[in-house]
Amino acid sequence: MNFRIADTFTDSLARLTGEEQKAVKTTAFDLQVNAASSGMSFHKLDRARDKNFWSVRVSGDVRIIVHKTGDSLLLCYVHHHDKAYAWAERRKLETHPTTGAAQLVEVRETYVDFTIPQRVAPVANTGAPPPPSPLFTRIPDATLLSYGVPVASLEIVRTATDESILTIVADLPSEAAEALLELATGGTPVVREALSAAADPFAHPDAMRRFRTMANADELERALAFPWDRWSVFLHPAQQEIVDRRYAGPARVAGSAGTGKTVVALHRAVHLARINPSARVLLTTFSITLARLLRQKLQRLVGTDAALGARITVDAIDEIGITLYEQSFGRPTVAKPGMVRSLLSTLSNEHGGHTFSDRFLEQEFTDVVDEWQLRTWDAYRDVTRLGRKNRLSEKQRANIWPIFEQAQQRLHDGALVTMATLYGDLTAELATANRPYDFVVVDEAQDVSVPQLRFLAALAAGKPDGLFFAGDLGQRIFQTPFSWKSLGVDIRGRSSTLRVNYRTSHQIRRQADHLLDPEMADVDGIVESRRGTVSAFNGADPAVRVVASEREEAETIGAWLAERVAEGVLPSEIGVFVRSREQVERARAAVASAGLAVTMPAPGVDPEPGRVVLMPMHLAKGMEFRAVVVAACDDEVLPLQSRIESVTDASDLKDVYDTERQLLYVACTRARDYLLVTAVAPGSEFLSDLRPTP
């Protein structure tokens, strides 16, 4: 018998209490082992539209809804008795007549009772604009059916307008909802190949994103261990295709925040380890905190397969670099930025006669000389100073090169290495040494530096499937742009973009996207487009509040937080972000006004339970909260005035504005259901883009 679980089952399981979940899991395991056991209490649902729906008693008032046929048992839903029965009475398991995919479809006798909530009461006015026009009147039934729209839903779909579409698609199968939203925003949905009439309806890619066959108890245990982590069990067909694809060279997956790039990276690492027995896989990212989160998620994905997990190393790139350097050259003493700054200032004073500030020399050394590992005058004279618009003549370069040359020599004499030098030495060593990894998967690749990318390319050594990146240009907050192709990492023709956002509601995603250009291109000309991105669920509009004083801001935040908690949001499900540590106490006082306490976890440390998480924006990557407050978005705070004043190169000013805007985007897109952004007047210039569009 095929034993399957549906995503609706794991979703409903996550909403039960801890004790109820334990009892449900025990019953699920018993059903998998022997559904025909006399201990199983099945009850036929007489009022269900689908005659194959049964309930299974768990304990007390909890019931599992299953779909049972002669060769299949599907766990569909779990809740308390009345709600479980009500769910089953409104649904049927069907095979779509056009696509051939299995669908759980909500059945309605009539759509007369289907009303769309009105945000604003209609006003009787002869000069009022006409009612909005339906969106899909000119699209044939056959086309709508090819997108997976159920036959029973065609009537209501044809009534959809700009105002009602989000409500209507919420009740449709995911492939139909995504297609209609893409149509509504001017896109052209992908039509997947239909299955033949004799094919297994659960084998369709759209069915596989919501139904999963459990081959054994280990798979079931892994699927139920963290029911809220749907990504570990159910993948969108676009994600699965990228995970399984063979690549002749370096490849990259892109997508806006929340589209599942990290999920693809995790599954890609496991996939490579599974199909390449004994292969060693490195899963890495630029941040120690993010690496720790990846490690936790990988453990959930591999479950009890310890041998598989042992062949996948998860560490931050710098941790990997230092470990490998120590194995080849001994433990390094890394020069801190302050040490380099002081050294350059000293040498600058010793070499009087140039007109450049210490700040400019530091940036030139860090971003050009050290970043690109320029060791000779000829190399520095001829280098293209990518992205830096302050032109330097050959004479000017000759004037300051002795400072950089002596800085490199003194670092060497003091047995000090910069991280760029460390990676340079490792890259050279890998040209002749045995490589420690067969495959490399990189998450948050937009913030990888020049020497890190050279090192990663050397690790993969041009091997097919050897190098895989996941990233988003719109979330670049640390690194200046540079050409990957010039370093031998050419992803042209092997770049994909994800379009479905699973983390952030339509309303929050739509407004946050206004912070960025609809299309962004890297230095090599590869374009990442945000057009056509849709969210998997609906939610509340984000709120932007610009107030007269910090006291009024605290009152606004406190009242908003109190409302969220009253609605059932737990303190630990709330994140508060500020631009820098200078605004932390201001945000802490605002949270306290709601009677809540905060926790500020150190990188790589779990937050203290029962408290609101408070942190600077640059630590937001990898985080997710039901409700988010982005506070203190004042003028001269965002963008940060000190960064603007430190600019020494004309091109750096644009990059400061870009990364500050992208930092706000990162913070806002940590929110799932609710977002509040606050500032004291006049507020950041970026806030005008976040206010809801009329």
Side-chain angles (χ1 to χ4, degrees):
M1 173 179 286
N2 290 312
F3 184 82
R4 299 183 176 95
I5 63 172
D7 58 354
T8 49
F9 175 76
T10 54
D11 286 349
S12 56
L13 175 63
R15 292 192 286 268
L16 299 179
T17 67
E19 288 303 313
E20 288 171 340
Q21 287 188 32
K22 289 180 182 178
V24 171
K25 292 174 186 179
T26 298
T27 303
F29 289 130
D30 290 343
L31 284 169
Q32 185 184 41
V33 172
N34 185 6
S37 168
S38 59
M40 293 290 96
S41 179
F42 282 86
H43 177 71
K44 183 78 170 177
L45 301 184
D46 296 330
R47 296 177 59 186
R49 308 294 179 86
D50 192 318
K51 299 308 177 184
N52 290 317
F53 273 150
W54 296 68
S55 77
V56 177
R57 185 178 185 277
V58 176
S59 61
D61 193 37
V62 178
R63 300 291 185 272
I64 296 175
I65 302 300
V66 301
H67 188 274
K68 184 163 68 84
T69 63
D71 62 353
S72 174
L73 185 71
L74 171 66
L75 307 188
C76 298
Y77 191 75
V78 60
H79 213 299
H80 294 276
H81 180 283
D82 291 350
K83 290 185 177 180
Y85 276 48
W87 183 92
E89 289 167 4
R90 296 195 307 271
R91 285 167 177 81
K92 294 179 67 175
L93 179 66
E94 295 181 343
T95 298
H96 193 280
T98 299
T99 68
Q103 296 178 330
L104 277 170
V105 177
E106 185 166 1
V107 180
R108 294 177 182 271
E109 287 292 347
T110 176
Y111 284 100
V112 172
D113 64 334
F114 190 94
T115 56
I116 308 301
Q118 295 284 334
R119 292 177 184 246
V120 180
V123 178
N125 188 332
T126 57
S133 301
L135 294 169
F136 309 122
T137 52
R138 297 185 179 181
I139 299 179
D141 284 355
T143 302
L144 293 176
L145 291 172
S146 72
Y147 296 145
V149 175
V151 174
S153 301
L154 287 173
E155 179 184 349
I156 186 61
V157 163
R158 292 207 172 280
T159 71
T161 65
D162 286 329
E163 294 179 357
S164 65
I165 185 170
L166 293 179
T167 305
I168 288 174
V169 301
D171 295 322
L172 298 179
S174 51
E175 66 269 31
E178 292 164 15
L180 294 180
L181 288 170
E182 188 169 354
L183 277 176
T185 54
T188 303
V190 174
V191 177
R192 301 191 180 277
E193 185 176 352
L195 296 180
S196 66
D200 179 4
F202 292 100
H204 192 284
D206 284 324
M208 292 171 68
R209 71 160 94 179
R210 52 180 167 262
F211 304 112
R212 174 74 178 268
T213 300
M214 299 287 104
N216 52 53
D218 286 343
E219 280 198 21
L220 181 60
E221 182 178 5
R222 188 161 65 248
L224 300 185
F226 301 94
W228 54 89
D229 283 343
R230 288 178 56 175
W231 58 267
S232 65
V233 181
F234 307 100
L235 279 185
H236 189 282
Q239 293 175 318
Q240 190 70 62
E241 183 181 346
I242 295 168
V243 167
D244 295 342
R245 189 181 304 167
R246 296 297 304 271
Y247 299 96
R252 181 171 72 188
V253 61
S256 57
T259 52
K261 300 177 297 297
T262 297
V263 167
V264 169
L266 284 158
H267 280 268
R268 178 70 177 173
V270 172
H271 171 74
L272 289 170
R274 280 188 172 138
I275 68 171
N276 296 281
S278 78
R280 298 155 300 175
V281 179
L282 172 63
L283 175 59
T284 188
T285 187
F286 73 92
S287 159
I288 292 176
T289 303
L290 291 176
R292 184 176 185 274
L293 292 172
L294 285 174
R295 201 175 296 122
Q296 292 174 341
K297 291 179 178 180
L298 181 75
Q299 183 56 50
R300 296 175 190 177
L301 192 56
V302 301
T304 58
D305 194 341
L308 179 68
R311 291 192 288 112
I312 304 174
T313 299
V314 186
D315 267 319
I317 299 175
D318 283 352
E319 291 180 308
I320 291 293
I322 289 172
T323 298
L324 295 180
Y325 189 94
E326 184 172 359
Q327 292 172 3
S328 297
F329 306 104
R331 185 163 186 81
T333 303
V334 179
K336 303 297 182 185
M339 299 169 62
V340 174
R341 186 180 309 122
S342 177
L343 174 59
L344 289 169
S345 179
T346 299
L347 290 170
S348 175
N349 291 331
E350 293 177 5
H351 290 264
H354 64 77
T355 59
F356 296 108
S357 67
D358 287 351
R359 178 64 177 163
F360 176 83
L361 291 175
E362 180 189 357
Q363 289 187 342
E364 184 76 358
F365 180 81
T366 301
D367 297 341
V368 180
V369 176
D370 195 41
E371 184 90 338
W372 292 90
Q373 289 292 281
L374 306 178
R375 299 301 192 191
T376 67
W377 157 243
D378 289 345
Y380 180 57
R381 179 193 62 203
D382 298 335
V383 70
T384 300
R385 299 166 68 252
L386 183 66
R388 299 182 69 78
K389 295 182 180 178
N390 280 359
R391 291 180 175 273
L392 291 183
S393 66
E394 183 174 331
K395 182 178 178 180
Q396 288 174 311
R397 296 194 195 197
N399 192 23
I400 59 178
W401 171 250
I403 296 174
F404 300 147
E405 187 175 41
Q406 288 189 32
Q408 291 176 330
Q409 186 61 48
R410 291 196 187 183
L411 288 170
H412 180 269
D413 293 344
L416 296 170
V417 295
T418 62
M419 287 304 297
T421 300
L422 180 148
Y423 284 118
D425 292 345
L426 274 177
T427 300
E429 176 74 6
L430 286 169
T432 58
N434 291 327
R435 292 174 179 80
Y437 303 103
D438 300 290
F439 304 99
V440 180
V441 178
V442 185
D443 193 29
E444 301 293 351
Q446 74 281 346
D447 278 311
V448 168
S449 68
V450 169
Q452 287 173 339
L453 186 63
R454 277 180 168 154
F455 163 66
L456 294 168
L459 276 178
K463 181 178 180 180
D465 289 331
L467 200 50
F468 183 89
F469 299 95
D472 174 20
L473 294 177
Q475 296 184 69
R476 180 181 60 83
I477 57 177
F478 292 112
Q479 295 300 327
T480 54
F482 61 91
S483 169
W484 285 26
K485 183 183 173 185
S486 69
L487 300 180
V489 180
D490 189 356
I491 60 170
R492 291 176 302 174
R494 292 183 294 273
S495 182
S496 306
T497 302
L498 298 172
R499 303 289 184 194
V500 182
N501 186 307
Y502 297 95
R503 184 175 65 215
T504 304
S505 71
H506 288 289
Q507 289 76 7
I508 296 173
R509 176 198 55 77
R510 181 174 55 199
Q511 292 310 124
D513 278 352
H514 289 327
L515 289 168
L516 307 178
D517 292 332
E519 289 187 346
M520 304 181 75
D522 65 13
V523 174
D524 296 320
I526 299 175
V527 176
E528 294 181 6
S529 175
R530 310 186 112 65
R531 292 187 174 94
T533 300
V534 299
S535 293
F537 61 97
N538 204 9
D541 285 329
V544 180
R545 301 285 183 265
V546 179
V547 297
S549 65
E550 291 186 16
R551 178 179 178 180
E552 187 178 349
E553 180 189 47
E555 293 171 350
T556 299
I557 293 173
W560 190 87
L561 291 175
E563 288 179 10
R564 303 289 79 77
V565 172
E567 291 168 350
V569 179
L570 301 176
S572 59
E573 296 176 319
I574 300 172
V576 177
F577 298 105
V578 291
R579 172 59 187 88
S580 61
R581 295 193 179 275
E582 283 72 18
Q583 295 84 43
V584 163
E585 290 308 314
R586 175 172 159 185
R588 188 194 302 270
V591 175
S593 70
L596 301 171
V598 304
T599 177
M600 295 185 63
V605 177
D606 287 332
E608 188 176 350
R611 291 173 176 254
V612 173
V613 175
L614 170 61
M615 60 178 56
M617 293 180 188
H618 67 273
L619 297 178
K621 297 305 293 290
M623 307 296 286
E624 178 181 339
F625 300 93
R626 283 190 63 194
V628 164
V629 177
V630 185
C633 296
D634 300 350
D635 184 35
E636 298 193 354
V637 171
L638 194 71
L640 197 62
Q641 187 66 20
S642 60
R643 286 195 70 195
I644 294 174
E645 293 173 351
S646 70
V647 168
T648 61
D649 189 285
S651 69
D652 288 345
L653 184 59
K654 180 181 185 305
D655 196 57
V656 165
Y657 272 89
D658 287 346
T659 52
E660 291 284 303
R661 182 180 284 274
Q662 286 155 198
L663 194 58
L664 177 59
Y665 172 80
V666 168
C668 291
T669 53
R670 302 308 98 185
R672 175 179 169 83
D673 301 309
Y674 306 99
L675 173 65
L676 171 67
V677 182
T678 65
V680 171
S684 167
E685 60 193 272
F686 300 154
L687 297 188
S688 59
D689 292 327
L690 269 176
R691 290 188 173 91
T693 305

